[in-house]
């Protein structure tokens, strides 16, 4: 921790020396994310860009950490290199405090890289280009002395990569998204035969035109000869009514309809516009191209807003496993779209007592060996989840009151409190524990008979 503090303090000293009018002497670590506005006053930032800036500040500090695992460090560098392959700055084209922080923390390492590490076939070409841009561009105005700059030898490039075409990259991502959206039963195919269909349609139109010409010729011939028998009339085929599509069979009400998965929080920050909210970056096992996802540190992630600020310390949110509800319809919370919900337990209120939202609150914890994206279900309620829950059917609102905790601090589903589940084979079911595929149970720290939501 002391190394991190020292690194941050050195960065602050660097910023104060380069931008004395924008970064006053009283500036502290907590002020870092807001410095973009002061250093680049003519640039505006969306809420998502503010969140992304904070995330990149954290990533840059991790890249500079001397005790980081070597494999993890290489993975971060690889992800950063890919990110910069189609961007001028970390945000795309806008400058931000994150660019300066990354330059300051990474430039010493880049200085010591070999030519192979810089521009070899598996080198970090785009990071080197980024460092060179930040230290020289008037946009940043760093005024780095020549002897302090990272020296870039343009005549010593070991391997020339094929430039990434932005249009090709966009098309590639579209195709990935289409493949991800396709059903897995092999019945749905991409329209690769479209060309043949168009040719067939043109030939069909040509045939119809020839039929019309032939009919006109027959009529003219009949009028001249008086032989009306020569007039051939083709009877039009009666259009058969299209069969009515049968409505899809509605799945019976069950907690299995809710897509509960293990999530890995890679980063959590304060919401820029709401004191009660955190904004978390969570890996939920989604394939590339899934709607409402993005990439962070080489992983497909969801942005999730949760009302846990002030109830759970932000330190406890970092790097931990949680249970996420992944098929609720995304909602925008104070300017940031939230694409999942984190499950947490709180005391069950007595009748007539008003909820003051002061806690205590405990996050639901999956088994230690559970992987991000692994599905969890309630015992006795196996089945496939809905793609996205229809808000009009209120599946979550109907079933959530059954989410509870046991005397053994395990999360379970008590169907006895759901009137709609008191008929047929569901009647009399006991509380089913929330488990992974190998039977590992999801737990909380101390709250029994609690509300889980």
């Amino acid at each position: 921790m002391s190394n991190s503090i020292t690194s941050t303090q050195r960065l602050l000293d660097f910023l104060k020396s380069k931008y004395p009018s924008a970064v006053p002497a009283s500036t502290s670590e907590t002020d870092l994310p807001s410095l973009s506005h002061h250093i680049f006053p003519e640039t505006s930032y969306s809420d998502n860009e503010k969140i992304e800036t904070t995330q990149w500040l954290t990533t840059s500090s991790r890249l500079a950490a001397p005790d980081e695992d070597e494999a993890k460090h290489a993975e971060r560098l690889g992800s950063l290199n890919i990110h910069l392959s189609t961007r001028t700055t970390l945000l795309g084209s806008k400058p931000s405090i994150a660019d300066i922080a990354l330059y300051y923390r990474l430039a010493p390492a880049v200085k010591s890289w070999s030519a192979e590490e810089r521009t070899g076939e598996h080198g970090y070409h785009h990071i080197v280009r980024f460092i060179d841009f930040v230290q020289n561009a008037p946009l940043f105005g760093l005024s780095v002395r020549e002897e302090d700059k990272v020296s870039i030898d343009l005549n010593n490039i070991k391997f020339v990569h094929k430039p990434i075409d932005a249009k090709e990259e966009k098309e590639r991502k579209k195709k990935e998204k289409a493949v991800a959206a396709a059903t897995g039963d092999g019945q749905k195919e991409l329209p690769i035969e479209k060309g043949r269909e168009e040719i067939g349609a043109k030939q069909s139109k040509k045939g119809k035109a020839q039929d019309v010409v032939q009919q006109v010729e027959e009529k003219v011939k009949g009028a001249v000869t008086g032989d009306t028998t020569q007039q051939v009339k083709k009877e039009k085929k009666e259009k058969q009514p299209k069969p009515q599509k049968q409505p899809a069979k509605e799945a019976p009400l069950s907690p299995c309809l809710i897509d509960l998965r293990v999530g890995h929080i890679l980063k959590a920050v304060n919401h820029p516009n709401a004191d009660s909210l955190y904004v978390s970056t969570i890996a939920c096992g989604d394939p590339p191209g899934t709607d409402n996802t993005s990439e962070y540190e080489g992983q497909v992630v969801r942005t999730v807003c949760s009302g846990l600020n002030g109830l759970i310390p932000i330190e406890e949110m970092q790097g931990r496993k949680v249970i996420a509800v992944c098929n609720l319809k995304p909602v925008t919370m104070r300017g940031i779209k939230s694409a999942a919900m984190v499950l947490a337990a709180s005391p069950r209120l007595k009748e007539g007592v008003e909820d003051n939202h002061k806690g205590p609150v405990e996050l639901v914890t999956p088994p230690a060996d559970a992987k991000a994206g692994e599905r969890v279900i309630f015992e006795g309620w196996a089945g496939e989840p809905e793609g996205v829950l229809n808000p009009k059917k209120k599946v979550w609102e109907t079933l959530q009151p059954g989410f509870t905790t046991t005397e053994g601090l395990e999360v379970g589903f008590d169907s006895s409190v759901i009137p709609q589940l008191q008929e047929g084979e569901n009647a009399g079911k006991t509380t089913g524990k929330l488990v992974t595929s190998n039977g590992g149970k999801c737990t909380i720290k101390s709250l029994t008979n609690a509300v889980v939501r």
Side-chain angles (χ1 to χ4, degrees), residues 216-417:
V216 171
E217 289 176 347
E218 295 288 354
K219 287 181 180 179
V220 171
K221 185 178 179 181
V224 172
T225 61
D227 186 359
T228 56
T229 60
Q230 296 293 329
Q231 298 181 22
V232 179
K233 293 183 180 179
K234 286 192 175 183
E235 294 182 3
K236 290 184 180 179
K237 291 183 179 178
E238 291 184 8
K239 289 185 179 180
Q240 296 296 325
K242 291 183 179 180
Q244 293 276 338
K245 283 187 178 180
Q246 294 296 322
K249 188 177 180 181
E250 189 170 323
L253 186 66
S254 164
C256 76
L257 299 178
I258 301 171
D259 188 2
L260 299 172
R261 296 188 222 162
V262 176
H264 183 196
I265 300 179
L266 303 180
K267 173 66 181 170
V269 298
N270 295 319
H271 194 298
N273 301 322
D275 293 339
S276 64
L277 299 178
Y278 287 138
V279 181
S280 301
T281 302
I282 306 181
C284 297
D286 296 291
T290 302
D291 286 344
N292 302 304
T293 63
S294 57
E295 282 189 21
Y296 179 69
E297 294 191 346
Q299 298 190 60
V300 178
V301 296
R302 297 181 180 216
T303 298
V304 181
C305 298
S306 54
L308 301 173
N309 198 338
L311 299 173
I312 295 177
I314 195 166
E315 293 78 15
E316 290 186 21
M317 299 287 290
Q318 311 296 340
R320 67 165 294 153
K321 300 283 181 63
V322 292
I323 298 299
V325 184
C326 292
N327 62 343
L328 297 174
K329 187 176 179 180
V331 294
T332 299
M333 303 178 73
R334 300 295 294 272
I336 295 177
K337 183 184 281 189
S338 179
M341 184 174 72
V342 175
L343 281 188
S346 57
R348 193 177 299 276
L349 298 174
K350 294 180 181 179
E351 190 173 347
V353 177
E354 187 177 349
D355 189 356
N356 56 16
H357 300 287
K358 292 184 178 179
V361 172
E362 297 176 359
L363 289 171
V364 176
T365 303
D369 61 348
K371 300 287 189 282
E374 184 175 351
R375 193 169 176 232
V376 292
I377 61 170
F378 291 104
E379 291 175 322
W381 298 94
E384 290 302 310
E386 293 280 340
V388 177
L389 293 175
N390 186 339
K392 293 181 180 179
K393 294 182 180 179
K394 297 191 178 299
V395 174
W396 167 252
E397 292 81 355
T398 301
L399 296 172
Q400 182 275 322
F403 286 39
T404 187
T405 61
T406 67
E407 293 295 325
L409 302 180
E410 297 160 335
V411 177
F413 179 72
D414 180 9
S415 62
S416 67
V417 302

Side-chain angles (χ1 to χ4, degrees), residues 89-102:
T89 67
L90 290 172
L91 296 182
S93 59
K94 293 181 181 180
S96 72
I97 183 62
D99 296 306
I100 304 169
L102 184 62

